[in-house]
Short mmCIF file of all heavy atoms in Angstrom, two decimals:
data_model
loop_
_atom_site.label_atom_id
_atom_site.label_comp_id
_atom_site.label_asym_id
_atom_site.label_seq_id
_atom_site.Cartn_x
_atom_site.Cartn_y
_atom_site.Cartn_z
N VAL I 90 -16.78 12.06 -16.42
CA VAL I 90 -17.06 11.64 -17.76
C VAL I 90 -16.96 10.15 -17.76
O VAL I 90 -15.89 9.55 -17.47
CB VAL I 90 -16.12 12.25 -18.75
CG1 VAL I 90 -16.39 11.81 -20.16
CG2 VAL I 90 -16.24 13.78 -18.69
N LEU I 96 -25.05 9.90 -22.49
CA LEU I 96 -25.88 11.04 -22.77
C LEU I 96 -27.36 10.54 -22.79
O LEU I 96 -27.62 9.38 -23.09
CB LEU I 96 -25.62 11.60 -24.22
CG LEU I 96 -24.18 12.27 -24.35
CD1 LEU I 96 -23.97 12.69 -25.77
CD2 LEU I 96 -23.90 13.43 -23.39
N VAL I 102 -28.20 17.99 -28.00
CA VAL I 102 -26.89 18.36 -27.42
C VAL I 102 -27.08 19.43 -26.32
O VAL I 102 -26.59 19.31 -25.20
CB VAL I 102 -25.95 18.86 -28.52
CG1 VAL I 102 -24.77 19.61 -27.86
CG2 VAL I 102 -25.49 17.78 -29.33
N ASN I 105 -28.88 18.17 -23.19
CA ASN I 105 -28.07 17.29 -22.33
C ASN I 105 -27.12 18.16 -21.50
O ASN I 105 -26.96 17.84 -20.33
CB ASN I 105 -27.16 16.33 -23.19
CG ASN I 105 -27.79 14.95 -23.39
OD1 ASN I 105 -27.79 14.16 -22.49
ND2 ASN I 105 -28.41 14.69 -24.52
N VAL I 106 -26.58 19.18 -22.05
CA VAL I 106 -25.53 19.96 -21.33
C VAL I 106 -26.27 20.91 -20.32
O VAL I 106 -25.61 21.16 -19.25
CB VAL I 106 -24.71 20.79 -22.33
CG1 VAL I 106 -23.68 21.64 -21.58
CG2 VAL I 106 -23.95 19.83 -23.19
N THR I 107 -27.38 21.44 -20.58
CA THR I 107 -28.03 22.38 -19.69
C THR I 107 -28.82 21.72 -18.55
O THR I 107 -29.14 22.37 -17.60
CB THR I 107 -29.03 23.28 -20.42
OG1 THR I 107 -29.99 22.53 -21.09
CG2 THR I 107 -28.34 24.17 -21.40
N LEU I 110 -27.41 22.14 -15.07
CA LEU I 110 -27.39 23.46 -14.64
C LEU I 110 -28.72 23.82 -14.11
O LEU I 110 -28.86 24.55 -13.09
CB LEU I 110 -27.05 24.34 -15.83
CG LEU I 110 -25.57 24.43 -16.29
CD1 LEU I 110 -25.42 25.21 -17.49
CD2 LEU I 110 -24.68 25.00 -15.18
N LYS I 124 -24.13 29.31 -20.65
CA LYS I 124 -23.09 28.48 -19.94
C LYS I 124 -22.80 27.28 -20.90
O LYS I 124 -21.62 26.84 -21.06
CB LYS I 124 -23.51 28.01 -18.58
CG LYS I 124 -23.54 29.18 -17.53
CD LYS I 124 -22.15 29.48 -17.05
CE LYS I 124 -22.26 30.46 -15.91
NZ LYS I 124 -20.89 30.85 -15.47
N ALA I 125 -23.77 26.65 -21.39
CA ALA I 125 -23.67 25.48 -22.25
C ALA I 125 -22.85 25.83 -23.53
O ALA I 125 -22.00 25.06 -23.92
CB ALA I 125 -24.99 24.87 -22.63
N ASP I 126 -23.21 27.02 -24.10
CA ASP I 126 -22.55 27.42 -25.37
C ASP I 126 -21.07 27.64 -25.11
O ASP I 126 -20.21 27.25 -25.90
CB ASP I 126 -23.21 28.73 -25.79
CG ASP I 126 -22.62 29.22 -27.13
OD1 ASP I 126 -22.58 28.50 -28.13
OD2 ASP I 126 -22.05 30.42 -27.09
N ASN I 127 -20.70 28.19 -23.95
CA ASN I 127 -19.29 28.40 -23.60
C ASN I 127 -18.59 27.10 -23.40
O ASN I 127 -17.49 26.91 -23.95
CB ASN I 127 -19.22 29.25 -22.30
CG ASN I 127 -17.84 29.54 -21.91
OD1 ASN I 127 -16.98 30.05 -22.66
ND2 ASN I 127 -17.43 29.22 -20.65
N ALA I 128 -19.19 26.09 -22.73
CA ALA I 128 -18.58 24.82 -22.52
C ALA I 128 -18.46 24.06 -23.84
O ALA I 128 -17.41 23.42 -24.09
CB ALA I 128 -19.35 24.04 -21.51
N LEU I 129 -19.43 24.10 -24.73
CA LEU I 129 -19.40 23.40 -26.00
C LEU I 129 -18.33 24.00 -26.94
O LEU I 129 -17.71 23.24 -27.68
CB LEU I 129 -20.75 23.48 -26.61
CG LEU I 129 -21.88 22.54 -25.93
CD1 LEU I 129 -23.29 22.93 -26.46
CD2 LEU I 129 -21.57 21.06 -26.20
N SER I 130 -18.17 25.24 -26.82
CA SER I 130 -17.10 25.86 -27.65
C SER I 130 -15.73 25.41 -27.18
O SER I 130 -14.82 25.17 -28.06
CB SER I 130 -17.18 27.36 -27.61
OG SER I 130 -16.85 27.91 -26.33
N LYS I 131 -15.58 25.20 -25.89
CA LYS I 131 -14.27 24.70 -25.38
C LYS I 131 -13.95 23.26 -25.85
O LYS I 131 -12.76 23.00 -26.00
CB LYS I 131 -14.30 24.74 -23.83
CG LYS I 131 -14.27 26.09 -23.26
CD LYS I 131 -14.24 25.99 -21.72
CE LYS I 131 -14.16 27.37 -21.04
NZ LYS I 131 -14.24 27.34 -19.62
N VAL I 132 -14.99 22.50 -26.13
CA VAL I 132 -14.69 21.13 -26.59
C VAL I 132 -14.90 21.02 -28.11
O VAL I 132 -14.97 19.93 -28.64
CB VAL I 132 -15.58 20.11 -25.87
CG1 VAL I 132 -15.24 20.06 -24.36
CG2 VAL I 132 -17.11 20.38 -26.05
N LYS I 133 -14.99 22.21 -28.80
CA LYS I 133 -15.03 22.33 -30.21
C LYS I 133 -16.24 21.55 -30.76
O LYS I 133 -16.12 20.81 -31.85
CB LYS I 133 -13.71 21.73 -30.83
CG LYS I 133 -12.44 22.52 -30.35
CD LYS I 133 -11.18 22.00 -30.98
CE LYS I 133 -10.04 22.82 -30.48
NZ LYS I 133 -8.73 22.34 -31.07
N ILE I 134 -17.41 21.79 -30.20
CA ILE I 134 -18.63 21.35 -30.79
C ILE I 134 -19.30 22.45 -31.53
O ILE I 134 -19.65 23.52 -30.94
CB ILE I 134 -19.63 20.76 -29.70
CG1 ILE I 134 -19.11 19.48 -29.14
CG2 ILE I 134 -21.05 20.55 -30.29
CD1 ILE I 134 -19.04 18.26 -30.05
N GLU I 150 -17.83 13.06 -30.98
CA GLU I 150 -18.68 14.12 -30.71
C GLU I 150 -19.49 13.87 -29.44
O GLU I 150 -19.69 14.75 -28.58
CB GLU I 150 -19.66 14.44 -31.85
CG GLU I 150 -18.97 15.03 -33.01
CD GLU I 150 -19.80 15.01 -34.30
OE1 GLU I 150 -20.79 14.32 -34.30
OE2 GLU I 150 -19.39 15.67 -35.33
N LYS I 151 -19.97 12.62 -29.31
CA LYS I 151 -20.74 12.26 -28.03
C LYS I 151 -19.91 12.42 -26.79
O LYS I 151 -20.30 13.00 -25.72
CB LYS I 151 -21.25 10.85 -28.09
CG LYS I 151 -22.29 10.52 -29.17
CD LYS I 151 -22.54 9.00 -29.22
CE LYS I 151 -23.49 8.73 -30.37
NZ LYS I 151 -23.68 7.32 -30.54
N GLN I 152 -18.64 12.01 -26.92
CA GLN I 152 -17.79 12.13 -25.73
C GLN I 152 -17.40 13.56 -25.40
O GLN I 152 -17.32 13.92 -24.24
CB GLN I 152 -16.50 11.26 -25.93
CG GLN I 152 -15.82 10.78 -24.66
CD GLN I 152 -16.66 9.94 -23.80
OE1 GLN I 152 -17.77 10.25 -23.46
NE2 GLN I 152 -16.17 8.72 -23.39
N ARG I 153 -17.19 14.40 -26.42
CA ARG I 153 -16.99 15.78 -26.20
C ARG I 153 -18.14 16.49 -25.61
O ARG I 153 -18.00 17.36 -24.73
CB ARG I 153 -16.44 16.43 -27.48
CG ARG I 153 -15.07 16.07 -27.84
CD ARG I 153 -14.52 16.86 -29.02
NE ARG I 153 -15.06 16.33 -30.25
CZ ARG I 153 -15.41 16.96 -31.34
NH1 ARG I 153 -15.40 18.36 -31.28
NH2 ARG I 153 -15.85 16.43 -32.42
N VAL I 154 -19.39 16.11 -25.95
CA VAL I 154 -20.58 16.67 -25.39
C VAL I 154 -20.59 16.31 -23.91
O VAL I 154 -21.00 17.06 -23.04
CB VAL I 154 -21.82 16.30 -26.16
CG1 VAL I 154 -23.11 16.66 -25.34
CG2 VAL I 154 -21.86 16.80 -27.50
N ALA I 155 -20.30 14.98 -23.64
CA ALA I 155 -20.23 14.55 -22.22
C ALA I 155 -19.25 15.28 -21.37
O ALA I 155 -19.52 15.62 -20.23
CB ALA I 155 -19.89 13.02 -22.19
N ILE I 156 -18.08 15.67 -22.04
CA ILE I 156 -17.11 16.51 -21.29
C ILE I 156 -17.68 17.89 -21.00
O ILE I 156 -17.55 18.39 -19.94
CB ILE I 156 -15.78 16.63 -22.09
CG1 ILE I 156 -15.14 15.22 -22.13
CG2 ILE I 156 -14.86 17.61 -21.46
CD1 ILE I 156 -13.92 15.10 -23.06
N ALA I 157 -18.36 18.49 -22.04
CA ALA I 157 -19.08 19.76 -21.87
C ALA I 157 -20.05 19.76 -20.75
O ALA I 157 -20.20 20.69 -19.94
CB ALA I 157 -19.60 20.26 -23.16
N ARG I 158 -20.77 18.60 -20.65
CA ARG I 158 -21.85 18.51 -19.63
C ARG I 158 -21.24 18.57 -18.23
O ARG I 158 -21.87 19.10 -17.30
CB ARG I 158 -22.60 17.18 -19.88
CG ARG I 158 -23.73 16.92 -18.87
CD ARG I 158 -24.43 15.65 -19.17
NE ARG I 158 -23.63 14.51 -19.22
CZ ARG I 158 -24.06 13.27 -19.45
NH1 ARG I 158 -25.36 13.07 -19.81
NH2 ARG I 158 -23.26 12.24 -19.46
N MET I 159 -20.01 18.01 -18.07
CA MET I 159 -19.36 18.08 -16.87
C MET I 159 -18.81 19.53 -16.57
O MET I 159 -18.90 20.00 -15.55
CB MET I 159 -18.20 17.09 -16.83
CG MET I 159 -17.34 17.19 -15.55
SD MET I 159 -15.85 16.14 -15.59
CE MET I 159 -14.93 16.92 -16.85
N LEU I 160 -18.19 20.11 -17.69
CA LEU I 160 -17.58 21.41 -17.53
C LEU I 160 -18.52 22.56 -17.05
O LEU I 160 -18.17 23.44 -16.30
CB LEU I 160 -16.94 21.91 -18.82
CG LEU I 160 -15.63 21.07 -19.26
CD1 LEU I 160 -15.17 21.57 -20.62
CD2 LEU I 160 -14.56 21.19 -18.19
N VAL I 161 -19.76 22.40 -17.44
CA VAL I 161 -20.71 23.54 -17.16
C VAL I 161 -20.94 23.67 -15.66
O VAL I 161 -21.23 24.83 -15.16
CB VAL I 161 -22.07 23.36 -17.86
CG1 VAL I 161 -21.95 23.58 -19.31
CG2 VAL I 161 -22.71 22.06 -17.50
N LEU I 162 -20.74 22.68 -14.88
CA LEU I 162 -20.90 22.75 -13.45
C LEU I 162 -19.68 23.26 -12.76
O LEU I 162 -19.65 23.56 -11.54
CB LEU I 162 -21.26 21.34 -12.88
CG LEU I 162 -22.62 20.81 -13.26
CD1 LEU I 162 -22.80 19.41 -12.73
CD2 LEU I 162 -23.71 21.75 -12.72
N GLU I 163 -18.59 23.52 -13.51
CA GLU I 163 -17.36 24.06 -12.97
C GLU I 163 -16.84 23.27 -11.73
O GLU I 163 -16.56 23.88 -10.73
CB GLU I 163 -17.50 25.54 -12.67
CG GLU I 163 -17.82 26.37 -13.91
CD GLU I 163 -18.03 27.88 -13.55
OE1 GLU I 163 -18.19 28.20 -12.37
OE2 GLU I 163 -18.04 28.64 -14.51
N PRO I 164 -16.77 21.91 -11.85
CA PRO I 164 -16.36 21.20 -10.73
C PRO I 164 -14.88 21.39 -10.33
O PRO I 164 -14.03 21.72 -11.19
CB PRO I 164 -16.56 19.71 -11.19
CG PRO I 164 -16.37 19.77 -12.61
CD PRO I 164 -16.95 21.10 -13.06
N ILE I 187 -8.71 17.35 -26.52
CA ILE I 187 -9.60 18.15 -25.69
C ILE I 187 -9.19 17.98 -24.21
O ILE I 187 -9.05 18.94 -23.50
CB ILE I 187 -11.07 17.77 -25.86
CG1 ILE I 187 -11.53 18.11 -27.35
CG2 ILE I 187 -11.95 18.39 -24.84
CD1 ILE I 187 -11.49 19.54 -27.68
N LEU I 191 -7.65 20.67 -21.25
CA LEU I 191 -8.29 20.89 -19.92
C LEU I 191 -7.29 20.79 -18.84
O LEU I 191 -7.52 21.39 -17.81
CB LEU I 191 -9.36 19.86 -19.74
CG LEU I 191 -10.64 19.87 -20.64
CD1 LEU I 191 -11.62 18.73 -20.21
CD2 LEU I 191 -11.35 21.21 -20.52
#
Side-chain angles (χ1 to χ4, degrees):
V90 176
L96 298 178
V102 166
N105 263 284
V106 177
T107 58
L110 285 174
K124 291 282 188 179
D126 183 58
N127 183 52
L129 288 164
S130 67
K131 288 180 179 178
V132 298
K133 300 181 180 179
I134 290 293
E150 289 166 346
K151 292 174 187 176
Q152 203 64 306
R153 285 186 281 142
V154 172
I156 293 172
R158 182 176 58 181
M159 176 187 66
L160 288 178
V161 290
L162 291 176
E163 300 179 343
I187 295 299
L191 294 179

